Amino acid sequence: MKVIKWSCKHTFHRCFWFLYLTRNINCAKFYEMATATGEGNILAADAEVAALERCLKVLKTAKSDTEIFAALLLITKLARAETMTSEDRGKIFKAVGFQFINRLLNTESVPEDCDQHMFQSLALTLLACFSTDPNLAHHPELLAKIPFLSETILIPRLSTSDVSVHEKAMISDAYDILQAVATSEGGRKRLCEELSDSLVIVIKEQIFGHDRSLSILSSLLYHNSDDMWMFHSDLLSSLFQKLAVDFHQFQDAEKFKTCELLTSLLSVTSTVPAAVPDWAVRIRDTISGVLRNKLGEDHRDVCLQLAATMLHHYGATWVLQGHQEDEKFFPLLVNLASVEVRMILETMNQEKQLSKAAVLCCCFTILERCIQLMVCNTEEINLGGDVIYQLHTVLTAAFGAATYHLKSVTKEQFIDPVVVSCLRALFMWLAEETAQLKSDVFELLPLLIDFCKSSLTSHSLEDNSKEIDLPSNVFYHQLREDLIQLFLPGLCHLTAEKESRDVVLHNQGFSMLVSYTNHLLEKKTLDAGSPAVETSIITLSNIFLNVILQDPSFVRESDESRNLLLILSSELKSSVNRSQTFLLHIGLVFVSLLRIKPVVKEFEGTMQDAVVRIGSLLADVLRSKPGKLEPTIDEETLKNLLCLTLQSLIDCIFTHRWVASSLRQSDMHERITHSSTYAWRQEEEVSSLVLRLIEQPSSQQL
């Protein structure tokens, strides 16, 4: 390998410093220096282009490294960064070539009294210049330098004295290059493979550049979370273990700096170990201890943010770890989050609220997850009656403040992270509690319906979330989730009551739900095994039944009910690999609609196929043993579904002449009566309905 030979030590020094001061090919600094001594003037645009071409010619024909430096110096003097195009940078990059840069990197001997890393530093300065161009930042030759850059950022670890100015400049250039590389998917993949160890070492040991290592590692965890945990699980676990121990042991300001560091890393990763690791348990115990003390506002905020991040990843499992030894942690967390929500929304002006957006989002996340825990983990959490009553009181007060805040929200704020987090928590609350705050919720319903319509029609929560300035990346994933799905249980309760149901229908809520049903069924076609989608369809079926059975006149006159009938008939006709529970629910909605809704002649064929499918489904269910359906459904619920479906079918026979013949096509009568496993024969009400349904065509002239 050739090395650099200098004909003039002074020339090198001048080249080095001019290139260092004008890296990123920015001549502003150089121009200030030049004009201070009377040198140089800004050239006119045409003259500048011509001058650049002459410099490029010199670069291409240079016979020595000294001539290359001279040409580079002319470029920094004559060309301005703001007028230089990507094409111009590419030409310079091609003219300089990597052979020259490689010689700099591999030259070990340096002029007398010069820094030992002088040549490498100059090479990195050049690479940092070129890496500012996205097209050059992903050049294979530049990516091949990642191992060298990895060693460079570890220089402070190997140094026996303080990091010198030259070393700091060299390390800063290395980070500039690495951050440029991290802007592409291919670059991040290479960084995952070749840089992760060095990044973790720098962060763990808090050596020079640790803040920039944190930035790059955060980017890798955000964009390549699966790969990072798959290939570097032990490395990341050791990092979080170290930080968790520090968080536990520090008893000064470093404790809360470590807390912020943990939050910044954990909030960007979408993947974490499935089981709650030891470091996560230690974080829980430390947060529990810290929150019992009298804390300043800033210290309390960072602890709540870390708690929200851990709840986001591990949910109830994280809270329940060590619950028997520390039963006060869960109530304490709920109380603090509730009080914080009220303090921010009720006592702070809008400017102050904006500054607390991240904390507010985290508090709503804590409330959302804790409500979920109280509902789904009642036995494990084992709260006494007094504690439950107290928590219900503080939650009611918190959501009172939330509903008051939402009343002032406009449609333009629907993608605001605070609004979304607030709605998520409110939807979780409404799924379990609609008796409290009833008047506030009824007043807020039009806004909630508008929010659902907006998210469904524009997909703002799915597509636009990438452009939102989020207070914490942990909420990026939440913004991409389906919030209408969270609202469905609450809507099911609300549509059971006349006053709230009227509000929903008056604000086109029925139309929104029909569109959402179609959206979910299309999604289910792509993801047939999604239990969440199937559960949502079943909840939607219950909402539709609330409207159909209690407001038949609305359904009869609504055009959207016809669309729903067509959507369900298409699903019944073509669905495969669906659970019987799922089909029974949409079948019941279908026949309930068919009972009161006229059918256009052109759609009768599709409707007939759906009725045939329902007949076959009923036969299969009536021949099966209770408790053997997948997913398992209790006998009482199944009997109710069967009775309602059969009764509605009987009514349909009198409403539509073709229903009886469609049922005969399904061989429903023969399949039931000739089956020795007919488990429902002893159920008098079901049996009588079956007989009436099957015998109706022969005994009634239609």
Side-chain angles (χ1 to χ4, degrees):
M1 178 67 68
K2 293 183 178 180
V3 298
I4 300 295
K5 294 182 180 179
W6 299 102
S7 57
C8 177
K9 177 181 172 183
H10 175 72
T11 301
F12 169 77
H13 277 291
R14 188 178 182 189
C15 291
F16 176 83
W17 285 110
F18 271 114
L19 282 169
Y20 174 70
L21 292 173
T22 59
R23 64 187 183 281
N24 297 329
I25 316 183
N26 184 345
C27 82
K29 295 180 180 178
F30 177 87
Y31 180 71
E32 292 175 4
M33 297 167 58
T35 53
T37 58
E39 297 177 22
N41 291 298
I42 298 277
L43 299 180
D46 292 341
E48 184 177 317
V49 172
L52 179 61
E53 290 297 327
R54 287 195 296 272
C55 292
L56 288 172
K57 185 176 181 180
V58 172
L59 271 176
K60 292 176 182 177
T61 58
K63 297 179 181 179
S64 67
D65 293 321
T66 303
E67 291 182 10
I68 293 176
F69 275 117
L72 286 172
L73 284 173
L74 285 174
I75 290 174
T76 61
K77 181 175 181 180
L78 300 177
R80 292 176 293 171
E82 60 268 21
T83 61
M84 186 167 288
T85 65
S86 176
E87 183 180 358
D88 292 334
R89 292 174 189 269
K91 289 179 180 178
I92 298 172
F93 177 74
K94 187 175 180 180
V96 172
F98 262 100
Q99 289 186 355
F100 172 69
I101 294 174
N102 288 335
R103 288 199 299 276
L104 287 174
L105 289 173
N106 288 283
T107 300
E108 296 181 357
S109 59
V110 296
E112 187 180 349
D113 299 328
C114 290
D115 185 82
Q116 61 175 332
H117 301 298
M118 184 170 56
F119 295 129
Q120 288 86 354
S121 181
L122 181 54
L124 291 180
T125 299
L126 287 170
L127 289 176
C129 293
F130 295 126
S131 68
T132 59
D133 189 312
N135 296 323
L136 301 179
H138 313 136
H139 193 284
E141 283 278 7
L142 192 145
L143 295 179
K145 303 296 182 290
I146 291 176
F148 177 79
L149 299 173
S150 178
E151 295 176 3
T152 300
I153 64 175
L154 292 178
I155 286 176
R157 187 170 181 251
L158 305 175
S159 178
T160 56
S161 58
D162 293 339
V163 183
S164 68
V165 174
H166 293 304
E167 289 174 334
K168 287 181 178 179
M170 185 176 176
I171 295 168
S172 295
D173 283 335
Y175 278 118
D176 286 342
I177 300 165
L178 292 171
Q179 287 185 309
V181 171
T183 59
S184 73
E185 183 177 351
R188 287 191 296 270
K189 186 174 181 180
R190 290 287 295 269
L191 293 179
C192 284
E193 296 170 356
E194 303 176 39
L195 189 70
S196 299
D197 288 2
S198 295
L199 293 175
V200 170
I201 290 171
V202 171
I203 295 171
K204 286 172 70 173
E205 300 185 9
Q206 292 288 285
I207 59 179
F208 178 77
H210 61 84
D211 54 335
R212 302 191 69 177
S213 280
L214 175 63
S215 176
I216 296 172
L217 183 60
S218 296
S219 178
L220 297 182
L221 285 172
Y222 182 72
H223 293 285
N224 301 74
S225 184
D226 291 341
D227 290 342
M228 288 293 290
W229 281 102
M230 182 182 298
F231 300 113
H232 303 289
S233 177
D234 292 342
L235 181 70
L236 292 173
S237 293
S238 70
L239 172 62
F240 287 120
Q241 182 67 31
K242 167 70 165 53
L243 295 177
V245 170
D246 289 346
F247 180 43
H248 180 74
Q249 292 180 346
F250 286 143
Q251 299 301 323
D252 52 16
E254 291 299 317
K255 184 184 217 59
F256 299 99
K257 289 182 180 179
T258 307
C259 183
E260 289 185 87
L261 182 55
L262 281 165
T263 304
S264 65
L265 286 172
L266 288 168
S267 67
V268 295
T269 179
S270 58
T271 305
V272 290
V276 180
D278 292 340
W279 54 262
V281 177
R282 188 182 291 272
I283 289 173
R284 176 206 180 280
D285 295 341
T286 306
I287 292 177
S288 178
V290 171
L291 290 179
R292 296 170 196 270
N293 298 310
K294 185 177 180 180
L295 299 173
E297 182 180 334
D298 292 341
H299 292 162
R300 183 176 62 253
D301 288 350
V302 297
C303 286
L304 288 174
Q305 287 176 296
L306 181 55
T309 305
M310 298 303 295
L311 278 168
H312 172 77
H313 286 305
Y314 289 109
T317 311
W318 180 71
V319 175
L320 293 173
Q321 288 285 335
H323 177 70
Q324 292 181 348
E325 296 79 21
D326 184 10
E327 295 181 352
K328 293 183 179 180
F329 175 59
F330 175 72
L332 176 65
L333 203 55
V334 176
N335 274 282
L336 286 175
S338 299
V339 170
E340 195 70 25
V341 166
R342 293 190 62 190
M343 289 290 292
I344 295 173
L345 296 181
E346 293 179 351
T347 66
M348 296 183 182
N349 57 36
Q350 188 174 7
E351 183 179 352
K352 184 67 172 175
Q353 286 179 8
L354 287 173
S355 68
K356 301 279 284 187
V359 180
L360 196 53
C361 288
C362 290
C363 288
F364 280 127
T365 297
I366 291 172
L367 296 185
E368 175 195 343
R369 299 290 178 169
C370 287
I371 292 170
Q372 193 176 34
L373 189 153
M374 292 172 69
V375 173
C376 301
N377 302 84
T378 306
E379 294 182 2
E380 293 96 324
I381 205 71
N382 192 27
L383 298 173
D386 292 341
V387 176
I388 292 176
Y389 178 80
Q390 192 270 333
L391 291 180
H392 184 271
T393 301
V394 297
L395 285 169
T396 301
F399 284 109
T403 54
Y404 179 80
H405 172 71
L406 288 172
K407 289 175 185 178
S408 62
V409 167
T410 63
K411 292 182 180 181
E412 289 72 24
Q413 295 174 282
F414 281 166
I415 58 174
D416 182 272
V418 172
V419 173
V420 174
S421 299
C422 181
L423 287 171
R424 286 180 62 91
L426 180 62
F427 291 162
M428 189 66 69
W429 168 260
L430 291 176
E432 308 301 332
E433 174 62 272
T434 54
Q436 298 291 329
L437 307 172
K438 183 175 290 189
S439 60
D440 291 330
V441 171
F442 287 1
E443 186 180 348
L444 200 59
L445 263 177
L447 177 81
L448 302 183
I449 298 297
D450 283 343
F451 173 81
C452 294
K453 288 189 291 187
S454 174
S455 64
L456 184 62
T457 56
S458 66
H459 303 290
S460 58
L461 298 181
E462 194 165 322
D463 300 329
N464 297 338
S465 57
K466 297 177 183 178
E467 302 172 4
I468 303 172
D469 184 18
L470 300 175
S472 176
N473 282 325
V474 69
F475 302 107
Y476 174 86
H477 307 288
Q478 292 184 350
L479 287 171
R480 294 180 63 83
E481 291 176 7
D482 186 351
L483 268 73
I484 304 177
Q485 195 173 59
L486 296 179
F487 191 26
L488 294 181
L491 272 176
C492 194
H493 298 317
L494 292 167
T495 52
E497 300 183 33
K498 178 174 174 50
E499 184 179 355
S500 51
R501 184 173 62 251
D502 288 344
V503 176
V504 172
L505 298 180
H506 179 72
N507 288 276
Q508 292 80 48
F510 188 84
S511 174
M512 178 274 294
L513 291 170
V514 172
S515 299
Y516 184 62
T517 301
N518 188 50
H519 168 74
L520 282 185
L521 288 175
E522 290 177 350
K523 183 177 180 181
K524 187 169 175 60
T525 301
L526 298 173
D527 186 13
S530 172
V533 172
E534 190 161 293
T535 300
S536 295
I537 293 292
I538 291 173
T539 307
L540 278 164
S541 299
N542 292 329
I543 296 173
F544 289 133
L545 287 173
N546 284 339
V547 178
I548 294 168
L549 298 178
Q550 300 184 69
D551 278 294
S553 59
F554 169 85
V555 176
R556 192 176 292 111
E557 298 169 4
S558 171
D559 292 335
E560 287 301 327
S561 60
R562 180 177 292 108
N563 293 336
L564 179 60
L565 197 60
L566 290 171
I567 291 169
L568 296 179
S569 63
S570 176
E571 175 66 18
L572 286 165
K573 175 184 175 182
S574 60
S575 60
V576 292
N577 299 323
R578 306 295 197 245
S579 72
Q580 290 175 309
T581 308
F582 169 82
L583 293 173
L584 279 172
H585 276 88
I586 66 170
L588 175 56
V589 176
F590 173 79
V591 296
S592 298
L593 277 171
L594 193 64
R595 180 173 58 88
I596 60 176
K597 192 73 178 175
V599 176
V600 180
K601 187 73 174 177
E602 62 180 291
F603 297 127
E604 276 190 9
T606 302
M607 302 296 169
Q608 289 172 4
D609 292 337
V611 172
V612 171
R613 179 67 183 275
I614 290 173
S616 300
L617 172 67
L618 290 172
D620 291 340
V621 172
L622 289 168
R623 289 165 55 193
S624 64
K625 294 181 179 181
K628 295 299 182 182
L629 297 176
E630 295 294 341
T632 302
I633 182 173
D634 66 273
E635 183 176 336
E636 190 64 29
T637 303
L638 177 59
K639 185 167 68 173
N640 290 337
L641 278 172
L642 287 170
C643 288
L644 289 170
T645 305
L646 292 168
Q647 184 62 61
S648 296
L649 271 176
I650 291 172
D651 293 339
C652 289
I653 290 173
F654 293 97
T655 307
H656 305 286
R657 299 176 61 89
W658 47 266
V659 170
S661 60
S662 296
L663 288 172
R664 285 195 293 271
Q665 290 179 34
S666 69
D667 297 328
M668 182 178 178
H669 181 275
E670 290 77 7
R671 293 172 66 184
I672 293 176
T673 55
H674 295 149
S675 173
S676 59
T677 61
Y678 175 31
W680 300 95
R681 195 183 299 278
Q682 302 303 318
E683 297 292 335
E684 182 178 352
E685 65 273 33
V686 178
S687 299
S688 63
L689 287 170
V690 172
L691 291 174
R692 287 178 60 192
L693 176 63
I694 301 302
E695 294 171 1
Q696 190 72 41
S698 59
S699 63
Q700 185 76 29
Q701 294 298 319
L702 301 178

